[in-house]
Structure formats: structure tokens, C-alpha cells
Amino acid sequence: MKKIFYTLFVFVFLVSSCKITQKANDGKKGKDGVTFSKSKKNIQAKEDFFIDSLIVKKHLYTLASDNMEGRKAGTPGIEKAAKYIENEFKRIGLTTFENLDSYRQTFTFTNRRSKKKITSANIIGVLQGRSKKDEYVIISAHYDHLGIREKGEDKIFNGANDDASGVTGVLALAEYFKKVGNERTIVFVAFTAEEMGLIGSTHFGKGIDASKFVAGINLEMIGKIPSFGKNTAWLTGFERSDFGKIVQKNLKGSGYQLFPDPYKNFNLFFRSDNASLARLGVPSHTFSTTAIDKDKDYHKVTDEAETLNMTIITQTIQAVAKGTESIISGKDTPTRVVLEEK
């Protein structure tokens, strides 16, 4: 009996004294690292804030592969991407949106340049909230790109940073919130035809009650180190609501920082899908990490997965999860967006 008791005591002592050291922001153990005691509570906390970089890489390399043929709206390439996103939504366990009988919101529009009619689809999945299920937060990115050009040795616009990186974030966040739970309902959307003029998000906006949407989280080009340095991102329309300040508050002490969009001359707030909801009054903003004024791969065939930094993408997704947690939980509600186009 004494032997059994002694063995049990040693086991408990070893388990309770074991520690885990989280890597610092630069990937090394150091002063920025956080040491956790290996208690049940802390193990859960560590898991809650972990985004699997291998899954991130899988999503990115699949969506930006040559097999997707540049994902142009109305082409076989974007259909392959749509099926991949649908299958991931199903694997994660998302439900369909409102009256749709599948993850697809299919519609037909006329291409402004070619004047041809194109049929395409937004891909939408839902995680119903627990205590605030009638209050919606949208997490989005566009999954279309520019397709294939006629001339050149490399003809495919892979669109890795623009915006396979953002869609990767949507998928990773869907899996994350499925595990940790959400008080408000989250609508995950991969928009089509953004490159043709925000067509998919505009169509989506026409069919919703905007008053139910308390926030919009849009991800665009999150695969490169921003001008502010590592462990940073910037937000479009920062001054148009207090959404950004809420995110900054939640990120305090995390080692990750959010800055206002430094590229005012590019009018980026109105050039991504967040604008379609913002025009309806929703505090919808875009997160990005790319120095858009210096990016040599923007809308070029050189925008390929190999040019991106997996650590940057993974850390940014984690920062978005941490930074928006009080909005997802219902503790914070951003002010409605200022509609005037500044």
C-alpha cells in the first residue's frame, strides 16, 4: 500500500512540475516567450491560441496551385477552388447560410469589361452563436483572382497573396472558432469576383439585414512582412469606427501590433470586399500585412506560394483570432462605420 502511494505521489509531482515554454515572437526561446505550468487550465489556454501552420500551408499551396488555373470567376479553375472550400467547410462542421440549401450562393452577373454573362458563387458557412445567435460577425476573403494570360512562359496568375492567403485565414479561423466556441453567430464567406469590382460581396450585401451584422473581418494579402516590421498588421478605415481600437486593446501584451492603414492615397478601404458591407453601415474592415506600395508581385504571375512567409500568415491569423475575441464573444460591439468616402 505504501509503495502504491509513493509511486502515485512521484507521478503527480513530476506532472505538476513539468513546464512548457512557448517560443518567442522570433521563433526562439527568450524574453518574449511565455512559460506555462503544465496544468489542465494552461494546456487548454495554449491549445486555444494555436493555429496549425501545417494546415495553413496546405490551404495556401492548394488554393494557389497551378491546378486552380488562377481562379478567375466563371472558369473551371475557380470551380476547383469552390469545391475545395466547400469540402473544408463540411469537414469543419459549418452549416449553410439562412435559406441556402448548400454552401453556395450562386448568381449571374455581367462582366463590365467583356459584357459577357458570368455565373459564379460565394461560398458561405455558418457557426451559430450560443447566447447571441441573432447578432452576426462576418469573416471573409475573396477566392477569385485573374486567371490565365495568353502570352509568356508563366501564364498563370496564382494569386497566392491575393488572396489565397486571406481565404486560408478564413478556413483556419473557422476551424479555430469551431473548437473554442462563439457567442455571436459567425458567417464565413469566400467571395467571388472581387477582382471584377467587388461583385460577390455586393451581391451578398443586397440579401442581408445589415442591422444584424455587428462587425466585418476581411482578410486581404496577409503573407508578407509589412513596413511596420514583424508581428504587425494594418487595418483599412481605422478611423471610421472603433473596431481597430478594440482589436488593439485585445492584442495588448501579445507581442503583436495593429496599425492604421498607412497607404491613404490608395483608397484601400473601398477597394476590398469590406466596402460592400461598410456601405451598409457595418463596421467592416480589412486586415493586411503587405507593403502595397512596394510589392513587386501584386497582380503579377510571380504572386506564388513560395514567395510568402508561412510564419507571417500563421501569426496574423492568430492575432486576428485574439484581437477580435471580445467582438465574437459579445463583450464589445464596434461603433457603426462612418459612411462618407474620405
Side-chain angles (χ1 to χ4, degrees), residues 204-229:
F204 175 83
K206 290 177 180 178
I208 64 171
D209 178 355
S211 67
K212 291 183 177 181
F213 284 78
V214 300
I217 301 163
N218 192 54
L219 307 177
E220 178 91 64
M221 301 173 66
I222 60 170
K224 296 187 176 183
I225 298 175
S227 56
F228 298 106

Side-chain angles (χ1 to χ4, degrees), residues 30-311:
K31 64 181 181 180
D32 293 326
V34 178
T35 300
F36 295 95
S37 296
K38 196 172 181 181
S39 67
K40 183 176 180 181
K41 180 179 179 181
N42 285 323
I43 289 173
Q44 184 63 45
K46 182 176 184 293
E47 291 174 348
D48 284 353
F49 294 104
F50 182 74
I51 299 294
D52 190 340
S53 60
L54 294 179
I55 293 295
V56 167
K57 186 172 183 178
K58 171 182 175 287
H59 292 327
L60 180 77
Y61 274 73
T62 300
L63 291 167
S65 68
D66 285 352
N67 186 50
M68 297 292 176
E69 301 173 326
R71 308 188 310 275
K72 187 174 183 178
T75 67
I78 199 171
E79 174 61 20
K80 295 175 185 177
K83 287 181 178 178
Y84 178 80
I85 297 166
E86 284 180 303
N87 288 337
E88 288 302 303
F89 279 2
K90 183 177 181 180
R91 178 186 66 80
I92 293 166
L94 305 188
T95 59
T96 57
F97 181 62
E98 293 188 343
N99 297 322
L100 297 178
D101 57 8
S102 74
Y103 294 123
R104 297 196 181 210
Q105 184 185 53
T106 305
F107 61 99
T108 301
F109 65 96
T110 301
N111 187 319
R112 296 172 186 173
R113 292 185 178 180
S114 69
K115 306 304 179 185
K116 293 181 180 179
K117 288 191 177 297
I118 295 175
T119 298
S120 194
N122 295 323
I123 313 301
I124 311 172
V126 177
L127 273 180
Q128 184 171 295
R130 292 181 291 207
S131 63
K132 297 176 180 288
K133 65 180 181 180
D134 293 326
E135 297 179 9
Y136 298 168
V137 175
I138 181 171
I139 299 179
S140 63
H142 70 91
Y143 75 109
D144 68 304
H145 197 52
L146 303 177
I148 302 175
R149 64 181 181 181
E150 295 180 0
K151 299 179 180 179
E153 185 177 343
D154 184 356
K155 296 181 173 64
I156 300 174
F157 292 92
N158 299 85
N161 200 27
D162 184 17
D163 191 26
S165 67
V167 178
T168 293
V170 171
L171 294 174
L173 289 169
E175 192 152 11
Y176 168 80
F177 283 113
K178 175 67 175 178
K179 290 177 181 177
V180 303
N182 50 294
E183 298 304 317
R184 283 176 165 144
T185 293
I186 311 176
V187 181
F188 298 92
V189 187
F191 287 121
T192 187
E194 188 264 5
E195 300 286 8
M196 295 181 179
L198 314 185
I199 302 296
S201 56
T202 299
H203 178 80
F204 175 83
K206 290 177 180 178
I208 64 171
D209 178 355
S211 67
K212 291 183 177 181
F213 284 78
V214 300
I217 301 163
N218 192 54
L219 307 177
E220 178 91 64
M221 301 173 66
I222 60 170
K224 296 187 176 183
I225 298 175
S227 56
F228 298 106
K230 293 181 179 180
N231 298 311
T232 67
W234 47 269
L235 188 78
T236 64
F238 190 95
E239 72 285 355
R240 295 176 183 273
S241 78
D242 66 357
F243 176 94
K245 291 181 179 179
I246 293 171
V247 174
Q248 286 180 328
K249 176 192 69 175
N250 292 335
L251 288 177
K252 196 167 292 185
S254 71
Y256 200 100
Q257 291 180 282
L258 181 71
F259 294 91
D261 169 18
Y263 309 107
K264 300 299 182 183
N265 293 339
F266 287 80
N267 200 30
L268 297 175
F269 183 74
F270 291 100
R271 287 176 55 185
S272 194
D273 287 311
N274 68 282
S276 298
L277 274 76
R279 289 190 173 102
L280 301 175
V282 180
S284 182
H285 302 261
T286 293
F287 289 85
S288 184
T289 67
T290 300
I292 192 67
D293 60 334
K294 299 177 181 178
D295 185 27
K296 61 183 178 59
D297 302 312
Y298 177 65
H299 281 192
K300 303 284 179 59
V301 293
T302 53
D303 182 9
E304 302 200 35
E306 292 78 10
T307 68
L308 303 188
N309 187 313
M310 292 302 111
T311 301

